[in-house]
Amino acid sequence: MTSKLFTPYPLRGLTLKNRLVISPMCQYSAMNGNASDWHTIHIGSLLTSGAGLFMLEATAVEARGRITSDCLGLWSDENADALHAVLQSVRKYSSMPVGVQLCHAGRKASAHKPFVGRGPLKADEGAWPVIGPSPIPFAEGWQTPQAMSRDDMDAVIAAFVSAAQRADKIGIDVIELHAAHGYLMSSFLCPLANHRDDEYGGSLENRMRFPLEVFEAVRKVWPAEKPLGVRCNGTDWHEEGINADEAVAFARALHQRGCDFIDVSSGGNAYVKVPIGPGYQVPYAERIKKEVGISTIAVGLINMANQAEAIVAEEQADLVAVGRAVLNNPHWPWQVAEELDGSVEVPWQYYRAATKKGVPPPYAR
C-alpha cells in the first residue's frame, strides 16, 4: 500500500514532494537580526532531510518584535542580504522549498534566550520597550506593554509587508504568519491579553480585526502563485483564552481572504498546565480541516512514522510538521520513508548511506 505521507501535496502554485514539513524552530543565533554561520549549518543540514518543506524560524519584522536579542530578522535589507547569502550557499544541494515564519513577539518580546535564563530581560540586561493590544503584562515580572495606537498598528502592518517583500526578493517560497503562542497577533485574538474597548477588542470579530488586517496587507504584496498561511492556536488551554470555536472562526475568516493553510498549535497566552502527549494538538487541526475546508498542518510531539502516516491517511490533517524529531536526527524523514516504503530526495553525496528508496536530486538548484 502506498504511503499517503509520501505523496505530493499542492499549495497554490507550489507542489510539495511529500507531506512532511520541518517546523519553524528558533535558533537564537542571529546578530542584529542577521543570519550567521550557524544558520548555514542548521539550514543546510535540514534541507537534506528529505522533507517536503522547510520553514525558517520565527523571523522578526521589527527589531522591537524580536523574542530575544539573537532572533532572526527581516526588518532591514542587511537582514535580507545575510539570509540570502546563507540560502544561496545551501540551496544548491537541495530542491526543497523554503518558507519563513514572519513574527512580531509583541508583549513577549525582550526575553532571555532559553538556555541562558527564563522570562523577560531586565533593564541592565538590554531590555527594550514592548507593545501589545492592552497594557497587560504576559505574567508577573514581565514588562507592561504599551497599548498600540492606530499609528502603531499601521507601522506593524507596514513592517510585515516590507518583510514579505524582502522574503520574495531573496527567493522564499512560502510565508507563514505567526498568530500563535501569545505573540502579537495571538495576543490580539486572546481575551486574556486584549482588553480594548474600541473596534479591536471585545467581540471575536473585533479581536480578529488586526490579525486579519495584517494578513490582507501581506496577501496583497505576496506573489499570487506563492502560498501564504498562518500559524494559530487551536486553544489557549485556559477557560478565558482562545477556544476551539474561536479558532475555527478565525481560520474561516482567513480562508475567505485567500489563506492557503493553517498550522495549528496551542498555548502561550498564559502560564497553564498543558496536557502534553503524542499528537495532543492534532484534534484541533482536524476540526479546522473538516469545518473550514482549508489545508491544515498538524504539529506537536509527532515523532513516529506510523503516527505521522495515520494523521494524513485518516485525513486528520493534510501535512505533518516535525521539530524536535529532526533536531535529534536530521535524516529522520529518510528513516520514515524506509519504514513506510516511501521515497525522499537525498544528496548524491549521501546516497549510498540513505534509504534504499532515496532519490538523488539534481546537483545544483
Side-chain angles (χ1 to χ4, degrees), residues 309-334:
E309 175 67 22
I311 290 168
V312 294
E314 296 171 11
E315 298 188 349
Q316 295 173 290
D318 301 289
L319 301 161
V320 170
V322 292
R324 290 173 176 84
V326 294
L327 288 184
N328 179 267
N329 176 8
H331 298 146
W332 182 79
W334 298 7

Side-chain angles (χ1 to χ4, degrees), residues 5-81:
L5 190 64
F6 289 95
T7 57
Y9 191 78
L11 284 174
R12 201 170 275 258
L14 181 68
T15 298
L16 309 185
K17 292 180 180 178
N18 60 59
R19 312 294 188 93
L20 284 172
V21 177
I22 297 178
S23 282
M25 292 175 285
C26 291
Q27 296 299 294
Y28 312 106
S29 299
M31 183 171 290
N32 298 321
N34 295 335
S36 67
D37 289 345
W38 174 254
H39 288 94
T40 303
I41 297 168
H42 172 68
I43 298 169
S45 173
L46 295 184
L47 281 184
T48 66
S49 69
L53 173 65
F54 174 78
M55 293 296 299
L56 287 161
E57 64 199 83
T59 300
V61 300
E62 286 190 318
R64 66 177 173 175
R66 293 170 294 170
I67 303 167
T68 77
S69 61
D70 293 345
C71 284
L72 195 64
L74 267 179
W75 67 78
S76 72
D77 291 341
E78 183 183 6
N79 296 159
D81 290 343

Side-chain angles (χ1 to χ4, degrees), residues 287-321:
R287 183 174 172 189
I288 287 173
K289 172 179 169 60
K290 291 181 176 176
E291 294 189 24
V292 179
I294 191 171
S295 296
T296 57
I297 303 176
V299 62
L301 293 185
I302 301 168
N303 52 27
M304 302 293 290
N306 288 339
Q307 177 192 16
E309 175 67 22
I311 290 168
V312 294
E314 296 171 11
E315 298 188 349
Q316 295 173 290
D318 301 289
L319 301 161
V320 170

